[in-house]
Amino acid sequence: MDRSWGILAAAVLVLAASACGGAGESPAPPQPSPSSSKPSPSKPATTTPPTFTPAVSPAKVTAACPFLGADEFARITGTSKVVAQEQPPGKAESAPAYTCAYVTGDQAPDLASKLYFFAFAKADPGKPVTSTAANCTGPSTPLPGAGDAAMHCELDDYWTTLAIAKRVHGQTRMLNLHLPHYRDAVLAELAKVLGDRL
């Protein structure tokens, strides 16, 4: 377990304790017509990468990566060659429901920036944000205008945590982004994007 996830799990455990209150055969695939031709060797086939479509307050969340695309993460942070990798869903009550790793170059996912998604049936949006801030080594900086509650703070000499929570679809949802230290303006832009999509 990496350090940032361990800190996050401890915060969520505290929060969770306080918030309790016609079969048939498939048709055969279509066969190409005899008149169809393959691309000529002189004209290579081009492929277009899939366009990233962000999640915007989905009624049901099934992944963390749709909240922030790899290209967006790279543009906002000034990082190059970022790949967003959805991690296996959390199974424990104190674990995040979904996690997305933003891997750069040949970096291992364990060392990458990560976006964690949590949902609580009953909790004031300020509570998970405050619980996350309690794990920081210094003061937290509030981020007005991002969700119902948001802040960032340093976890250690390398990692920063950014927490945004919002009450929506009968849940309190939180996105928690662990990433290296960046300027306040970068963190504020990330928080605004994530808060709008919760």
Side-chain angles (χ1 to χ4, degrees), residues 39-65:
S40 67
S42 60
K43 293 183 180 178
T46 58
T47 59
T48 305
T51 303
F52 171 71
T53 304
V56 179
S57 195
K60 182 174 181 180
V61 176
T62 57
C65 288

Side-chain angles (χ1 to χ4, degrees), residues 88-167:
K91 295 190 184 336
E93 185 178 331
S94 62
Y98 300 104
T99 302
C100 184
Y102 295 92
V103 180
T104 59
D106 58 358
Q107 181 182 50
D110 286 351
L111 303 175
S113 296
K114 290 190 182 70
L115 179 65
Y116 301 102
F117 172 83
F118 292 90
F120 308 98
K122 298 176 183 178
D124 177 88
K127 217 164 220 174
V129 171
T130 302
S131 293
T132 302
N135 292 297
C136 297
T137 57
S140 62
T141 302
L143 294 165
D148 294 334
M151 69 86 206
H152 70 82
C153 59
E154 294 182 4
L155 291 172
D156 57 29
D157 290 340
Y158 182 77
W159 292 105
T160 293
T161 189
L162 174 65
I164 308 100
K166 189 175 187 178
R167 188 81 189 155

